[in-house]
Amino acid sequence: MSLRRKPESVLLEGAIASESAAEIASKEFFELCKLEAITSAFETSSKFDVDHSDNNLSPIDLFITNTKQLNKLVTGDYTPVLGNLILLGYVSAAESYIRALIRKLIHCDEYISALVSEKSVSYAAALHHKKEILPEALLEDFSLASPYNVFETLKELIGMKGNRPNPLILPSQEFKKVCELRHCCVHRFGKLGSKNAIRLGLATHTKSLEKPILLLAEDVDKIAFIVDNFVRSINNYVFKFLLERSVKNKDDSGGVCYEVEWLWVYAKDKKRFNKYYKIFSSKEDVYKSMTLRAAYEKFCSALKPEIPNLPERKAKVQKKNPAQGAQ
């Protein structure tokens, strides 16, 4: 059966003309649509690229790579329906970024690993997932297609605390609008439902109820910018939050989050700092991230305590005062 059907009127006329009186007589009263039998099952197991690899891309580079593919779809043959599909793709790319970020952080950050250690995954995931992607199974029941859901997930799985920070408020508000449009595309073929209208602002959207989205090419560009801005804002903020927590090294109960303290010497901290840097930095962006060394130096300048309580410092004190160390 070809997916490229003839126009409905031609198909209907042809179907009526080609059916015999006996065929028409054999129909039930409800058979108003010509129905073709499914003669073979759609085999989904062969529809995935099993040789695909993300090539150890950071989550932000994975997002950038995915959205570059979407950008290629905006061509001279652009149509509003294509715009709806690109919108879906952008929100999906943002969701994929969040999932990749959390997965990598669970492997990288010992405090986050402890936070999720008691959470359950399905038996199938435990049995068949490779170790490096097993954390993805934790997110199977999480919906990430709204800024609220994203932040609640980050609170639950990586331990973010408090209200949404000011730098993320405006990007979140704009991303929320895109998510409402995405909901229209997924569930109503682009038409605006009442709940979506309420969230977008009923006073300004009443006339648009049950009307389809009409995205121009420039609208798609703006949507791309909004989603990109939201993801980059999340990327920078979570990086900042985790490093600040690692320096403070105290949880809400006063317990220690990390066994290792920062030594504030590049050669000694490089390995630990690089674990985070690799997750949040970009090589695929037009403006590549600052170097590992430059990022570390800025980290020290911003967060290094004035009088650090370091294991190395303690060792030096004990060497100078062996009698005191023996007490």
Side-chain angles (χ1 to χ4, degrees), residues 230-271:
F230 176 74
V231 167
R232 290 169 185 266
S233 298
I234 290 285
N235 195 75
N236 288 348
Y237 179 76
V238 174
F239 184 46
K240 175 177 179 284
F241 166 78
L242 292 176
L243 289 182
E244 287 178 342
R245 182 170 69 187
S246 71
V247 173
K248 181 182 177 184
N249 203 15
K250 298 288 183 184
D251 60 20
D252 291 342
S253 63
V256 174
C257 298
Y258 305 95
E259 294 182 1
V260 178
E261 297 275 4
W262 293 104
L263 299 176
W264 308 108
V265 177
Y266 179 68
K268 296 179 179 180
D269 288 337
K270 179 180 178 181
K271 183 178 179 180

Side-chain angles (χ1 to χ4, degrees), residues 137-304:
L138 288 173
L139 294 161
E140 288 180 352
D141 295 326
F142 285 80
S143 171
L144 300 172
S146 78
Y148 174 81
N149 289 350
V150 168
F151 286 108
E152 288 302 303
T153 300
L154 292 175
K155 286 180 180 180
E156 182 174 346
L157 297 183
I158 73 169
M160 280 180 59
K161 303 292 182 182
N163 296 325
R164 200 170 304 177
N166 287 333
L168 290 178
I169 290 177
L170 184 57
S172 298
Q173 290 172 344
E174 294 301 300
F175 182 63
K176 180 181 178 182
K177 297 175 186 177
V178 175
C179 291
E180 293 302 327
L181 298 184
R182 173 254 180 204
H183 190 276
C184 296
C185 293
V186 170
H187 300 289
R188 308 173 67 86
F189 202 70
K191 289 185 178 179
L192 179 65
S194 58
K195 288 186 177 180
N196 302 116
I198 290 170
R199 296 187 186 109
L200 290 169
L202 190 58
T204 55
H205 290 78
T206 301
K207 293 182 179 180
S208 301
L209 283 168
E210 297 304 325
K211 302 298 182 183
I213 297 170
L214 182 62
L215 296 176
L216 303 177
E218 52 264 36
D219 297 323
V220 174
D221 289 340
K222 191 162 188 177
I223 286 169
F225 172 78
I226 289 170
V227 178
D228 185 80
N229 183 265
F230 176 74
V231 167
R232 290 169 185 266
S233 298
I234 290 285
N235 195 75
N236 288 348
Y237 179 76
V238 174
F239 184 46
K240 175 177 179 284
F241 166 78
L242 292 176
L243 289 182
E244 287 178 342
R245 182 170 69 187
S246 71
V247 173
K248 181 182 177 184
N249 203 15
K250 298 288 183 184
D251 60 20
D252 291 342
S253 63
V256 174
C257 298
Y258 305 95
E259 294 182 1
V260 178
E261 297 275 4
W262 293 104
L263 299 176
W264 308 108
V265 177
Y266 179 68
K268 296 179 179 180
D269 288 337
K270 179 180 178 181
K271 183 178 179 180
R272 184 186 183 193
F273 187 81
N274 189 43
K275 288 196 302 181
Y276 293 97
Y277 176 85
K278 287 193 301 183
I279 292 174
F280 292 95
S281 61
S282 173
K283 297 178 181 178
E284 298 295 323
D285 198 4
V286 175
Y287 300 100
K288 294 178 175 55
S289 299
M290 68 181 81
T291 64
L292 174 67
R293 182 64 179 260
Y296 176 80
E297 289 176 353
K298 288 181 177 292
F299 162 65
C300 291
S301 177
L303 298 179
K304 181 180 178 180

